Amino acid sequence: MVACGDGSLRTTTFWGLLLVGIGTLLLPGFLFAAFMSKLLPPSNYPLIAAIRNDRYYCYLVPLTLPILVIAVYFHWLSMKLFKHA
């Protein structure tokens, strides 16, 4: 690896690990809000009850998947057109 300056590799590694760590911590929270909270009994805690009664996150992933497939197709198509142009 080639560093572009003194300490830039260290800071790039730090920010990369920080973003991966944040994503790793947010994934269980999203999975709880989207799937697990619907299986739990009603709660007296207002935050848990609000997450349990919310329908946004349980529809977010299924409705995002078709858009993701279309985006991947257009990415593939643009790479093919660029490669053969």
Side-chain angles (χ1 to χ4, degrees):
M1 293 185 179
V2 177
C4 295
D6 193 276
S8 68
L9 181 62
R10 183 175 293 156
T11 57
T12 303
T13 304
F14 168 75
W15 285 110
L17 289 175
L18 181 70
L19 291 174
V20 168
I22 290 170
T24 302
L25 291 175
L26 289 177
L27 180 65
F30 169 74
L31 292 176
F32 174 78
F35 303 112
M36 295 299 295
S37 65
K38 310 303 183 259
L39 303 174
L40 296 175
S43 175
N44 292 333
Y45 295 109
L47 180 64
I48 301 295
I51 291 173
R52 187 177 184 280
N53 294 331
D54 188 33
R55 295 288 178 227
Y56 175 77
Y57 289 107
C58 62
Y59 295 131
L60 180 66
V61 172
L63 292 176
T64 304
L65 288 177
I67 302 303
L68 178 67
V69 169
I70 292 169
V72 168
Y73 171 72
F74 279 128
H75 175 70
W76 173 82
L77 181 65
S78 66
M79 290 302 293
K80 285 291 184 179
L81 292 174
F82 178 76
K83 191 176 183 181
H84 296 292

